[in-house]
Amino acid sequence: MNEWIEGAIRGEPEAYEQLMKQFRGMALAVAYHKLEDAFWAEDIVQEAFTEAFANLSKLENAEAFPGWFKVIVERQCYRWLRRKQHSTSPVQDLLYNVDSSDEGDNPEQLVLQKERYRILRDSISSLPSSMRHVVDMFYFQGYSLKEISDFLSVSVPALKKRLFDARAKLRRTLPVADVITVFNELYEGGKGMLHITNGDHAADRLRRSGIEGEVIVWRELYTFGPVAKDMGNEMERSKRAAYLEQQLGIPQTEYLQIAELERKLHAFHQYKEIVLWFEYDLYDQAMLSFLLHYFNGQSLGDTKLNLLCIDAYPEIEVFRGLGQLTPGQIGRLSGTWHVMGAEEIQAGSQFWQAYTSSDIQDHMDYLQQNGTVLPFAHAAFEAHLSRLPSQSNGLTSIEQATLEAVNQGVDHPYSLFKHVSERLHVLGMGDLEYWAHLRRMTKEPYPLLLLSGVETFPDFTQHNENFRNAVLSLTDLGIQVLSEEADWAELRRDEMWIGGLWNAQGEKPHWRWDRTSHFPVEMST
């Protein structure tokens, strides 16, 4: 493939043909999934190849071409969907269209609306060409400022200045006062927009990217501890706060600040648009599903709900999260989000209801469903259930990966966390969560690991240099369990939460994870 890309950069037709032959099927599948229209998918793929070939010289690593090209295909799809969505532009929606129920009763109103639209169009045509192009692309064709910036090679701040100057000129020249009012109410690329994302690193880069709008971080960890379908229930919230303080060292007062975020969420109608920025892993998919479950029970009204959820970025060889991206890279994602439909929102709610259920059958039913509506949901849900004790030795996927790594010589806590979190990247596991699992594996009376050089694990507020230099080693029991000569879950029988599934202290885990079938199995009594 590298030689084809290099040949395409040199302009060799055969190289172009080979790349198109290699990736056309993939591109068509991606485009059809987004558009559900075979004719337009063909057209979009051709445009994507044209864009890709024109920019091949910018691709530093040839091996990144598949992911890079997939992003181009998706971006072309989003552009098409926005153009389709605005087949009548925002201006046209306001000035040209009237409710069909009024047309027969008030034909004069329709004539007046058409006349207003003509006046506005004529007034815009009198603007200097630099302003006219930007106004037309932004207000009438629905392109984002970032897309216009890329197309015209003009900075976003300069485009904003042109739009401001254009509006000022139109206020002085338009003869119809109502048109000016309508124009002032148009969406201006960020005003009335709320961005919700998964962590402080991503939020910081989003704020510095130039994308306008308010940014909030959804501070929750639904992959650890007790969860319930209704997370606003005071009893459930108090139980969860106490558990997180005990297991992770997060002060209850700190956790209970989630109530302020929920109040912000309940006031969503004040925003014209909401953009959800999330990733492919379980940590994000659980968070996303919670939010979609909430919105599924609401009337969105005039608020538009958008989603940007990715598992790759062209310039990042190993993509693990939005926090890896620079503000500039985040900025280039502006406008690539898509408007969520009822089916997607409903699918997110179904994920959350299954994930928080205390009935294993609900989890298994969800895993057997066709999970194509939200593309990353099925893999994340499978990763969730892999945290059940295994059928062979009673270890969860996290515990199994940890023992294997220590057995291979990865014996310091931070290097071990890096190794395990990379191997199980689909979990999106953070360090505090991992320390809780590691602490459990060192606890008497059935420790799998021996921790030397430090006595305590770090909590929410600590940074312990001694812990960084500590050494982990397998105990005799750890060796036996890793060799599948002993069952750790049978021995420990301690309290464990996996989504809404709860194993009480002293009880033998009734359901196990089969690593071969990738499905839960019931243990014989």
Side-chain angles (χ1 to χ4, degrees), residues 18-30:
Q18 288 293 340
L19 284 173
M20 292 180 70
K21 182 178 180 181
Q22 178 76 12
F23 292 101
R24 186 173 180 277
M26 176 275 290
L28 282 172
V30 171

Side-chain angles (χ1 to χ4, degrees), residues 147-253:
E147 288 175 323
I148 301 171
S149 174
D150 291 342
F151 183 72
L152 298 179
S153 297
V154 177
S155 70
V156 169
L159 292 175
K160 291 178 181 178
K161 180 66 166 55
R162 291 185 190 182
L163 289 173
F164 177 83
D165 291 343
R167 290 192 297 270
K169 282 181 175 292
L170 288 169
R171 288 189 187 99
R172 292 194 298 269
T173 60
L174 280 172
V176 184
D178 287 347
V179 175
I180 300 175
T181 301
V182 168
F183 202 87
N184 285 338
E185 291 174 353
L186 291 174
Y187 169 65
E188 299 180 13
K191 184 178 179 182
M193 178 172 277
L194 174 66
H195 302 275
I196 304 177
T197 190
N198 61 353
D200 290 301
H201 288 298
D204 174 65
R205 286 153 177 77
L206 183 53
R207 293 186 183 105
R208 292 161 50 199
S209 69
I211 298 175
E212 295 187 35
E214 185 178 351
V215 180
I216 64 171
V217 178
W218 198 258
R219 302 184 187 281
E220 249 292 10
L221 182 65
Y222 298 120
T223 53
F224 191 88
V227 292
K229 185 167 68 173
D230 179 12
M231 293 297 289
N233 180 283
E234 290 299 325
M235 183 180 300
E236 295 291 345
R237 177 172 288 162
S238 298
K239 178 173 70 174
R240 179 164 173 75
Y243 188 88
L244 294 181
E245 183 175 66
Q246 178 190 33
Q247 296 294 323
L248 304 182
I250 299 176
Q252 294 191 42
T253 53

Side-chain angles (χ1 to χ4, degrees), residues 298-506:
Q298 308 297 317
S299 173
L300 292 176
D302 295 330
T303 301
K304 187 188 300 181
L305 186 63
N306 304 282
L307 175 64
L308 185 145
C309 190
I310 58 176
D311 65 344
Y313 192 90
E315 300 166 27
I316 305 296
E317 184 175 354
V318 180
F319 178 83
R320 292 292 178 255
L322 293 165
Q324 290 175 270
L325 306 183
T326 66
Q329 290 170 329
I330 287 277
R332 289 197 284 278
L333 291 172
S334 176
T336 63
W337 47 74
H338 71 278
V339 180
M340 300 199 75
E343 186 181 16
E344 285 181 287
I345 298 173
Q346 174 67 21
S349 178
Q350 290 171 348
F351 183 113
W352 180 254
Q353 291 180 69
Y355 182 77
T356 58
S357 174
S358 60
D359 186 346
I360 186 68
Q361 189 61 50
D362 292 332
H363 295 251
M364 294 191 295
D365 289 346
Y366 181 88
L367 198 58
Q368 290 179 310
Q369 291 176 5
N370 181 4
T372 58
V373 179
L374 293 172
F376 307 122
H378 185 273
F381 205 89
E382 182 178 298
H384 146 62
L385 287 176
S386 75
R387 301 176 300 165
L388 287 168
S390 77
Q391 187 181 24
S392 58
N393 59 5
L395 294 180
T396 69
S397 58
I398 298 169
E399 294 156 357
Q400 180 74 26
T402 296
L403 288 195
E404 289 177 0
V406 173
N407 191 49
Q408 294 164 10
V410 185
D411 57 3
H412 292 289
Y414 282 90
S415 57
L416 186 60
F417 166 64
K418 181 179 179 181
H419 179 96
V420 173
S421 60
E422 180 61 30
R423 175 175 168 181
L424 303 177
H425 58 85
V426 70
L427 292 177
M429 181 170 51
D431 56 354
L432 281 184
E433 182 180 358
Y434 184 65
W435 303 147
H437 290 290
L438 203 58
R439 182 190 297 112
R440 180 171 175 266
M441 297 175 73
T442 63
K443 268 190 172 182
E444 296 288 351
Y446 303 108
L448 301 174
L449 295 169
L450 176 65
L451 180 67
S452 305
V454 71
E455 295 181 359
T456 60
F457 282 78
D459 65 16
F460 183 71
T461 59
Q462 291 178 334
H463 176 76
N464 189 329
E465 194 61 33
N466 290 334
F467 182 74
R468 180 179 294 277
N469 297 321
V471 177
L472 289 145
S473 57
L474 293 173
T475 63
D476 290 340
L477 177 60
I479 295 170
Q480 292 174 3
V481 171
L482 188 59
S483 302
E484 300 184 358
E485 298 171 1
D487 189 303
W488 197 47
E490 287 272 4
L491 295 171
R492 283 202 62 92
R493 301 193 181 193
D494 54 0
E495 182 182 37
M496 178 183 291
W497 286 93
I498 300 172
L501 302 172
W502 179 56
N503 191 79
Q505 185 75 33

Side-chain angles (χ1 to χ4, degrees), residues 281-308:
D281 54 57
L282 175 62
Y283 174 84
D284 274 42
Q285 291 295 301
M287 199 182 298
L288 173 62
S289 71
F290 166 80
L291 293 169
L292 294 181
H293 176 69
Y294 170 77
F295 284 117
N296 189 55
Q298 308 297 317
S299 173
L300 292 176
D302 295 330
T303 301
K304 187 188 300 181
L305 186 63
N306 304 282
L307 175 64
L308 185 145

